[in-house]
Amino acid sequence: MQGQITTRAGTDDEVPDEPPVRRLSPHGRAIRVVVALAGAALLLVGTLVGQDDDFPFGPFRMYATADKLNAPVHDTRLRAVDASGRHLQLTDTQTGFRRAELEGQLPRIQRHPELLGAIATAYHRRQPDAPRLVRIDVVVRLLALRDGRPTGAYTERTEATWRAR
Amino acid sequence: MSARLGRPAGAVARWFTSPVPLGRIAAFRTLVYLFVAADLVVFTPWVRLHADVPGTLYQPLLIGRLLPLPTPGWLLTTVLFWVLLAAALLAATGRAPRLLGWLVFALYLEWMLVAMSYGKVDHDRFDLLVALAVLPTVGAARHGDTTRSEKAGWALRCTQLAVVATYFLSSWAKFRFGGLEWLTGATMARAVLRRGTELVEWSTHVPHLLVVVQFLIVAFELTTPIVFLLRGRWYYLHVTLMYAFHLMVFAAVTISFVPHLIAMTSFLPLERVRPVRWAARLLRGRTAPPLAE
């Protein structure tokens, strides 16, 4: 730790040649170059033909879809009724299952609405003292836009329903 | 090898492994592993909530189906959280860099599978995962060590390439999924309308402004590879531009790519940042004159 950390790196991003350099063996260098090129190739293939499923080599598709300004905005929510008859909207932290995850699995949940029972189970685990849920609906609200701004009008569709037995 | 490969291949090999000071790796290591610990607790605390979600909602990603990984439950998620937190904090000290480094990489990858196997995949940390994968290969590195190392150079080069790929290939993804219409579409307008801050609300009222911004974003993303050609002042200017881009994005729509910002420090001479030494000097400075830097 003692010593000459005062070497100026100059304008380059590398330090000038005075400090000693530890070289790689030819073998070590070759392996590293091959590994790096293989990783780059996987990432390129993932970007060209891959999907999110190929994480971490899938395409970087954040905000990659071209939106139409006035296409309606989807707003997916979980509406529930508990044993006391109370109506509530389940939040991400109440269930541990996030809204984006609900949207990602919505086709599967439409085919198998009983999966909503698992969300009820998660809710009960996280709120052990709350009344049991007896019903959950997945409701998609379509907010109408004009010039990209909400007009206040909306329509709602119930995409899946689960009832406690 | 470089001699045997001939000149072009040798030049590529040297570029991939151009030596950097070991002190830079020591600093980068500390930063990356401290981020992993902070990520668990501060940045993505929702991952832990998957502990209570029944396994029927677990839809393992390809890598989770290829590897014999158990379905996450309360026990796995809780044990993983605490072991990873302890390992990351220990690794941040620079001790046992290979053992702890590989351990953190494996556990963090599994943590990411717990995070992203329930229907939503995030795209903000490919470069951080690369950093975690390459750091253990460098071996021991002391803070302040000016000895240059080709192993260290390779590790940082891989991380830098992953940072630049994140920009470049995200433009590519825009063309693949959005098509050329992405440039003239309403993606930014809707993002600003949905989650824009007071700072940028006005921008939706200016005709075509956000379309111009979309062109600028793609131009910026597609030209990031030139950072590898720049030297000196222009190099640092470009790295500053990359950070400024994220500052603007955060100010506009409060989206921050923290793991990516951490990986991006691989472009900086981190070995010159010595907070512990500065603190010690400051304490000593009360009794002795400060040392020349």
Side-chain angles (χ1 to χ4, degrees), chain B residues 50-62:
Chain B
H50 283 161
D52 292 319
V53 177
T56 48
L57 290 170
Y58 174 67
Q59 294 281 285
L61 300 168
L62 177 65

Side-chain angles (χ1 to χ4, degrees), chain B residues 9-271:
Chain B
V12 169
R14 275 194 303 280
W15 182 79
F16 265 111
T17 57
S18 62
V20 299
L22 282 166
R24 193 173 302 185
I25 288 290
F28 188 55
R29 197 171 254 162
T30 300
L31 187 63
V32 164
Y33 293 133
L34 283 181
F35 169 76
V36 168
D39 191 41
L40 291 171
V41 183
V42 182
F43 295 109
T44 54
W46 52 263
V47 182
R48 235 183 134 188
L49 305 186
H50 283 161
D52 292 319
V53 177
T56 48
L57 290 170
Y58 174 67
Q59 294 281 285
L61 300 168
L62 177 65
I63 180 171
R65 301 194 298 274
L66 293 176
L67 300 172
L69 298 170
T71 300
W74 184 85
L75 186 68
L76 178 108
T77 310
T78 307
V79 170
L80 186 58
F81 175 86
W82 288 108
V83 175
L84 178 53
L85 185 61
L89 288 173
L90 273 176
T93 68
R95 274 158 226 265
R98 287 176 204 276
L99 178 72
L100 287 172
W102 288 123
L103 184 66
V104 169
F105 171 67
L107 295 179
Y108 191 73
L109 188 63
E110 166 64 1
W111 187 249
M112 285 299 104
L113 295 179
V114 173
M116 300 187 195
S117 292
Y118 290 82
K120 170 72 164 62
V121 174
D122 294 329
H123 308 91
D124 59 349
R125 56 193 70 214
F126 175 77
D127 40 16
L128 184 85
L129 285 166
V130 168
L132 289 173
V134 294
L135 273 174
T137 66
V138 183
R142 283 180 303 114
H143 284 276
D145 189 348
T146 55
T147 309
R148 299 195 301 152
S149 147
E150 292 185 326
K151 279 183 186 174
W154 179 77
L156 288 181
R157 185 68 84 210
C158 286
T159 311
Q160 293 171 347
L161 278 168
V163 169
V164 166
T166 305
Y167 290 119
F168 188 81
L169 297 182
S170 74
S171 266
W172 197 334
K174 287 179 183 78
F175 293 132
R176 179 180 159 197
F177 295 102
L180 275 177
E181 304 95 87
W182 190 91
L183 287 166
T184 53
T187 303
M188 276 304 293
R190 285 175 71 124
V192 169
L193 287 167
R194 268 184 56 209
R195 51 184 306 157
T197 61
E198 288 174 15
L199 288 173
V200 292
E201 266 175 9
W202 58 272
S203 64
T204 55
H205 298 290
V206 183
H208 310 304
L209 175 66
L210 290 174
V211 168
V212 173
V213 168
Q214 284 171 177
F215 273 91
L216 288 175
I217 289 173
V218 167
F220 163 72
E221 287 180 337
L222 290 179
T223 53
T224 46
I226 63 169
V227 73
F228 292 120
L229 304 175
L230 300 174
R231 287 288 172 267
R233 177 193 311 173
W234 294 105
Y235 170 86
Y236 287 111
L237 202 66
H238 197 276
V239 178
T240 308
L241 178 67
M242 294 199 272
Y243 275 103
F245 172 74
H246 291 282
L247 190 67
M248 288 187 285
V249 170
F250 185 76
V253 289
T254 64
I255 297 172
S256 64
F257 293 80
V258 187
H260 169 73
L261 298 180
I262 297 290
M264 211 149 78
T265 62
S266 58
F267 282 104
L268 299 172
L270 288 177
E271 71 277 14

